[in-house]
Amino acid sequence: METIWQNVYAARARSMSSSVIRELLKLTEQPDFISFAGGLPAPEVFPVDQVRAAAERVLTERGAQALQYSTTEGYRPLRELIASWMRDDPRHRLPVCGVDNILITSGSQQALDLIGRMFIDPGDRILVESPTYLGALQAWSAYGPQYVTVPSDDAGMVVDALEPALRAKPKFIYLVPNFNNPTGRTLSLERRRRLIEIASRHGVPIVEDDPYGQLRFEGEMLPSLLSLAAGRGPVNTAYHGNVIYLSSFSKILAPGFRLAWVCAEPEVVATLTRGKQGADLHTSTLSQTIACEVAKDGFIARHLEAIRRTYRERRNVMLAAMQQHFPASVRWNRPEGGMFLWCELAEGVDATERLRAAVPKKVAFVPGASFHPCGGGENTLRLNFSNAAPEQIREGIARLGEVLE
Ligand SMILES: Cc1ncc(COP(=O)(O)O)c(C=O)c1O
């Protein structure tokens, strides 16, 4: 039935259509379904007791403040805590970073939307890796950009392809350098350095989206792009540089907090803050005060150990099961952290069609084509290894093996 609303939607609402894959994945809610399709953390590692105790303390000691409106930039003690992480974390070691560098957002997803709102005009070009994070494409497509893509391989974005792509004069470069969603790939140190050098020579800023960097359970820690690019502007009491860095509490504490942060130079933080005012006034005061209470005494660093242990085990279980059940024509990677791994089926095999065959067997994944903004990747797929328990992983991969045979 046609309703009055169908005549009044904005053009952008029509471009946000529901996909076949989303419809298929709705079926994953059935009982006994094993889904490797979502991007959910392991629920077993949510620190429920610590959050309960922190909430109790916050509500007892400063309940009224925690339930009140707050500033758009975010709860100051939380911003101070994050600024100290950005100075002390060996991946960043920013010589200076203060509250003016930090904006608290309602998830990194909101930070991506605010970047779209404040930086993208219709027709602007944005350079992304292909494949890339679907949520960024969804956030930005509302603002009408054109995507310029650079391919990636096992060492992340192919930086050799960057210079030709920069001739399109993109407004910024977006990438997920650590344990990328969807591929689980990490940008090598050499490529990080070259990326910074090339981007700075062309005067193109970078958006570094890093929700997974702390989930490394193997191998060498790598410096952030933010840290490699720091110090190129006037350094005084705040960080200055050509990188907007995003990270989130979703994967290191719990996504239900809807809490993340932007670290960027003060001018950029102020601009994004203006955009945020119109979006939601501020991020939940209750979430911010409780998360700050949980995090303030070094809890997150200790808690990360448990997360890494769990994810290392689940990745290992998945790799072993794939070795046992997948046909020889399937190739996959071995990420050293994060939550995803990436499979390539034989040339000509369509992963979306394989998903259709997998759903009746009560197992699912995300076909890779959806992460390619300019097409391609039909024979690829993403598997999440963090959410399912080891037993389910073994069973789900065995079912998937039959589908891929
Ligand atoms: C690369 C990337 N960026 C941003 C987000 C959004 O995270 P959140 O809004 O939970 O902070 C995700 C979530 O999965 C992601 O994978």
Side-chain angles (χ1 to χ4, degrees):
M1 192 184 71
E2 180 137 329
T3 69
I4 196 166
W5 298 110
Q6 281 163 339
N7 301 318
V8 293
Y9 287 132
R12 83 180 73 87
R14 278 185 281 276
S15 73
M16 295 175 180
S17 58
S18 185
S19 74
V20 180
I21 292 166
R22 217 173 302 154
E23 293 306 312
L24 273 175
L25 293 180
K26 272 192 196 153
L27 302 170
T28 63
E29 283 150 22
Q30 303 165 47
D32 307 326
F33 208 103
I34 301 175
S35 178
F36 303 124
L40 274 55
E44 295 83 356
V45 294
F46 290 154
V48 177
D49 292 339
Q50 284 79 0
V51 174
R52 185 187 301 112
E56 180 75 49
R57 283 199 300 279
V58 162
L59 289 170
T60 308
E61 292 164 17
R62 53 212 130 90
Q65 185 198 7
L67 296 173
Q68 190 52 284
Y69 281 115
S70 170
T71 56
T72 306
E73 290 85 348
Y75 179 53
R76 195 177 171 98
L78 184 63
R79 293 165 75 211
E80 279 167 359
L81 180 66
I82 292 169
S84 77
W85 291 350
M86 301 307 295
R87 292 191 302 268
D88 300 341
D89 184 333
R91 297 177 311 127
H92 309 302
R93 286 247 187 273
L94 296 184
V96 279
C97 181
V99 283
D100 292 343
N101 291 119
I102 307 295
L103 169 66
I104 304 293
T105 58
S106 306
S108 283
Q109 193 58 37
Q110 182 182 49
L112 292 168
D113 182 61
L114 297 177
I115 288 168
R117 199 180 265 237
M118 303 315 271
F119 289 99
I120 302 178
D121 288 316
D124 280 349
R125 296 188 178 91
I126 307 300
L127 195 151
V128 300
E129 306 164 89
S130 184
T132 193
Y133 173 52
L134 187 57
L137 303 175
Q138 284 170 331
W140 294 334
S141 290
Y143 303 103
Q146 288 175 16
Y147 296 109
V148 178
T149 57
V150 169
S152 73
D153 61 19
D154 278 345
M157 179 187 266
V158 177
V159 177
D160 281 343
L162 191 58
E163 208 123 20
L166 285 172
R167 283 194 210 113
K169 301 218 175 303
K171 268 216 165 144
F172 59 83
I173 301 168
Y174 168 73
L175 76 172
V176 183
N178 297 308
F179 317 120
N180 190 2
N181 178 1
T183 59
R185 290 168 180 161
T186 290
L187 188 69
S188 70
L189 179 58
E190 193 225 324
R191 286 193 187 175
R192 284 174 198 237
R193 294 215 164 99
R194 285 192 52 220
L195 169 68
I196 296 294
E197 187 273 312
I198 296 170
S200 111
R201 184 152 40 78
H202 286 260
V204 180
I206 295 171
V207 174
E208 175 178 24
D209 188 4
D210 185 30
Y212 305 109
Q214 303 221 61
L215 305 187
R216 177 179 281 285
F217 45 70
E218 215 173 77
E220 287 286 298
M221 178 186 67
L222 294 171
S224 59
L225 299 173
L226 176 83
S227 70
L228 292 172
R232 287 172 189 273
V235 173
N236 36 50
T237 56
Y239 161 83
H240 288 81
N242 298 339
V243 175
I244 299 179
Y245 176 87
L246 316 181
S247 194
S248 173
F249 284 89
S250 291
K251 313 296 174 357
I252 62 174
L253 192 58
F257 277 97
R258 305 312 301 130
L259 212 51
W261 69 94
V262 175
C263 177
E265 52 181 43
E267 151 72 28
V268 169
V269 167
T271 302
L272 295 175
T273 303
R274 290 201 300 281
K276 184 171 161 70
Q277 271 162 8
D280 66 353
L281 298 182
H282 64 79
T283 293
S284 157
T285 324
L286 190 59
S287 266
Q288 294 187 72
T289 43
I290 295 173
C292 192
E293 183 68 22
V294 174
K296 69 178 186 196
D297 296 322
F299 171 75
I300 301 244
R302 296 193 297 280
H303 181 56
L304 273 166
E305 289 307 314
I307 299 179
R308 292 184 190 122
R309 248 195 327 276
T310 304
Y311 291 6
R312 184 192 300 115
E313 184 200 3
R314 292 183 182 195
R315 182 213 55 180
N316 289 346
V317 169
M318 188 172 271
L319 289 176
M322 290 164 84
Q323 193 68 42
Q324 188 182 347
H325 297 289
F326 278 14
S329 57
V330 182
R331 289 177 353 116
W332 58 87
N333 61 350
R334 188 179 189 281
E336 296 182 329
M339 308 191 342
F340 303 105
L341 55 81
W342 189 243
C343 294
E344 248 180 79
L345 309 180
E347 202 65 45
V349 178
D350 181 356
T352 304
E353 189 256 318
R354 289 297 82 208
L355 176 63
R356 266 187 241 283
V359 167
K361 291 192 185 288
K362 295 198 166 178
V363 64
F365 54 83
V366 184
S370 20
F371 306 103
H372 292 72
C374 300
E378 285 78 7
N379 65 329
T380 58
L381 60 95
R382 184 191 78 176
L383 292 176
N384 167 268
F385 58 77
S386 58
N387 184 243
E391 257 330 292
Q392 289 177 303
I393 295 180
R394 284 188 200 98
E395 170 61 26
I397 293 292
R399 291 183 199 173
L400 209 49
E402 290 171 25
V403 173
L404 300 179
E405 199 58 72

